[in-house]
Amino acid sequence: MRRRLSGATASVAAIGLLGSLVTACGSSGSGGGTTLRLVAAEYGNSPATSSKPYWDKLTAAFTAAHPDTQVEVTLYPWADVDREVTRMVKEDNAPDVALMGAYSDFAAQGRLYPAGELLSVRAESNFLPPLAEAGTVGRTLYGLPFVASSRLLFYNEKLFDKAGAKPPKTWSDLKGAAKALKKEGVLYPYALPLGPEEAHAEALIWELSNGGGYTDSNGGYDIASERNTQTFRWIKDNLVKPALTGPVPPAELDRQEAFDAFLRGQVGMVNGYPSLLHEARAKGMKVGTLSMPVSDTLSEGETPPPAGVADWMMAFKREDNRELVRSFMEFVYRDENLIEFAARYHLLPSTVSATQASKDAAADPGAEQFLTALRVARLYPVDEPSWLQVSNTIKRNIGKAVEPSADPKAVLEEIAQQAEEIAAQG
């Protein structure tokens, strides 16, 4: 689920939940004992929705069971957490545990414990298969998936009914629905958030729906493939040029802005995840969801995978910290703890047992369709050590590919060249 879930909500820097926000069970400098340092992304978008209460409760329970242990938690906004952890690692001051959007660059540096040294065999085999695969480098699991989400196309049923539009199954259907919505005065017939907040997610959704993606069958970057070029050319010619994507240029429209407009009833269609569906239904909106419409050029019976996103926990090797980290990880990945966090942000837990327990408890019946999609989803190539830098390059530049005067092929080739240079530096 940035790479904010990917259900994770917008950066909270503006409301004061900055990197200095710390919760602790005891003080790292008093009373002896051992302190575990956790750096985590802040999933909330206001003090009321902050992740702090969750970590306060969890760390209090953990230290009650481990009296000589203290846990210090530092929360950073999603916009900052990857950069801050990278800085700490470079300064040889890595935390014991981090929760963020990428892990493989640290694995490539030999700084992370493999899952086999952190979890029991049963716990390690409990992760949902697509997530475990994405967290694996060289057949070894380093990135422990924490929460996840998949993406579906949302459509405002009230606006669709008014426009006489039908839920789209193909790109041409989507274009037809967008034209009907525009005729009825809908501000954003199709909201296309290719702004730097999370452009790589929207781009991947579209690429997959045409049989493309960021990598080829061998796992190498294939950003400027013919299918991807066709995808962005179609978007530019059929949605952007006819002004079916709204008043804000796609390269300037961030995901949160698109979601906010959807909740105001100004958007006909937008790709979303479970928490947006929850918010919309809480406002009394009638929202339909369906798989991303596919390219009309795909062969009959060819079913592209949906896009999936996960956030990752990782444990850094430090002198004499393995047993402490192992105890903490085993505790974090208990079903009840995963379920509580996932439910708080209307995301999907990362393990088979927690998913089943959550489903049995009917914690969020609407999550089932997203879970079904997640089981066959394609995730970002997070197992590639260069992905963190490459994804930032995509986020900053991919929106240019659909500008009215742009040559999509040239834009994609420039991004691909930068990706190759970044990967070569690794």
Side-chain angles (χ1 to χ4, degrees):
M1 269 172 202
R2 228 197 136 287
R3 192 27 307 317
R4 286 152 280 267
L5 275 178
S6 309
T9 50
S11 169
V12 295
I15 57 174
L17 296 178
L18 301 174
S20 60
L21 174 59
V22 174
T23 66
C25 298
S27 168
S28 59
S30 64
T34 305
T35 298
L36 181 145
R37 293 170 53 222
L38 167 67
V39 174
E42 167 61 82
Y43 283 68
N45 60 359
S46 71
T49 61
S50 172
S51 305
K52 183 178 183 297
Y54 171 84
W55 292 114
D56 283 347
K57 179 181 176 181
L58 183 140
T59 54
F62 177 75
T63 54
H66 302 80
D68 294 329
T69 299
Q70 301 167 357
V71 180
E72 178 185 281
V73 182
T74 305
L75 302 179
Y76 286 105
W78 270 111
D80 302 330
V81 65
D82 289 354
R83 181 180 66 251
E84 288 299 320
V85 173
T86 299
R87 174 186 60 79
M88 294 176 192
V89 171
K90 288 182 178 179
E91 295 174 354
D92 199 26
N93 187 35
D96 296 288
V97 178
L99 169 59
M100 50 191 282
Y103 71 88
S104 57
D105 47 346
F106 304 127
Q109 297 169 31
R111 294 180 179 271
L112 301 182
Y113 286 112
E117 295 186 40
L118 301 172
L119 301 172
S120 66
V121 173
R122 181 178 181 180
E124 184 179 355
S125 64
N126 192 27
F127 292 112
L128 293 167
L131 306 184
E133 180 180 353
T136 297
V137 177
R139 299 186 179 182
T140 300
L141 182 66
Y142 289 101
L144 308 187
F146 185 61
V147 286
S149 75
S150 56
R151 302 299 172 92
L152 297 173
L153 183 71
F154 289 31
Y155 62 96
N156 184 314
E157 293 184 352
K158 180 179 178 180
L159 297 180
F160 262 61
D161 288 345
K162 183 178 179 182
K166 295 181 179 181
K169 295 182 179 180
T170 65
W171 286 0
S172 59
D173 292 343
L174 188 150
K175 178 182 178 180
K179 290 174 66 176
L181 291 162
K182 181 182 179 182
K183 188 175 181 180
E184 289 297 324
V186 175
L187 193 61
Y188 294 87
Y190 178 86
L192 182 66
L194 292 176
E197 181 186 356
E198 204 189 30
H200 60 321
E202 181 72 13
L204 179 61
I205 292 168
W206 277 94
E207 290 168 358
L208 292 175
S209 70
N210 190 31
Y214 289 131
T215 57
D216 58 25
S217 58
N218 296 319
Y221 288 121
D222 197 22
I223 295 170
S225 69
E226 182 59 30
R227 289 208 177 195
N228 288 349
T229 300
Q230 292 171 355
T231 296
F232 287 96
R233 183 173 290 119
W234 189 93
I235 295 172
K236 185 190 80 166
D237 292 342
N238 292 275
L239 295 181
V240 178
K241 280 188 173 180
L244 299 178
T245 56
V248 180
E252 300 175 17
L253 182 67
D254 279 329
R255 182 203 59 184
Q256 193 60 49
E257 294 177 81
F259 285 7
D260 290 344
F262 183 79
L263 295 173
R264 292 194 298 267
Q266 298 174 326
V267 173
M269 295 172 281
V270 68
N271 281 301
Y273 45 62
S275 59
L276 178 62
L277 182 60
H278 174 82
E279 290 183 72
R281 288 178 174 172
K283 291 174 66 70
M285 295 177 64
K286 292 184 177 181
V287 178
T289 57
L290 68 160
S291 300
M292 177 65 188
V294 300
S295 167
D296 299 81
T297 63
L298 289 186
S299 302
E300 186 175 350
E302 187 175 355
T303 304
V309 184
D311 296 330
W312 308 94
M313 268 202 161
M314 63 213 74
F316 288 89
K317 295 179 179 178
R318 296 176 63 88
E319 187 176 358
D320 299 326
N321 76 337
R322 191 178 73 85
E323 289 305 317
L324 173 62
V325 168
R326 179 183 175 90
S327 297
F328 184 71
M329 289 297 215
E330 287 277 5
F331 187 80
V332 167
Y333 280 92
R334 290 181 180 178
D335 285 352
E336 62 270 23
N337 292 329
L338 282 180
I339 291 170
E340 181 176 347
F341 191 92
R344 182 179 182 87
Y345 296 104
H346 306 285
L347 298 170
L348 306 174
S350 60
T351 66
V352 175
S353 59
T355 297
Q356 188 61 46
S358 177
K359 178 182 176 182
D360 290 345
D364 186 0
E368 178 60 28
Q369 59 194 319
F370 292 95
L371 177 60
T372 298
L374 183 63
R375 291 191 181 105
V376 294
R378 178 85 55 84
L379 279 73
Y380 303 131
V382 290
D383 57 340
E384 166 55 55
S386 62
W387 173 245
L388 180 59
Q389 294 183 63
V390 170
S391 65
N392 286 333
T393 299
I394 294 170
K395 285 187 286 187
R396 293 194 307 270
N397 295 290
I398 199 72
K400 299 174 184 177
V402 300
E403 291 177 350
S405 61
D407 176 2
K409 183 176 180 62
V411 174
L412 293 181
E413 287 179 341
E414 182 176 352
I415 296 172
Q417 178 62 35
Q418 293 181 48
E420 290 178 9
E421 293 172 357
I422 292 169
Q425 294 170 4

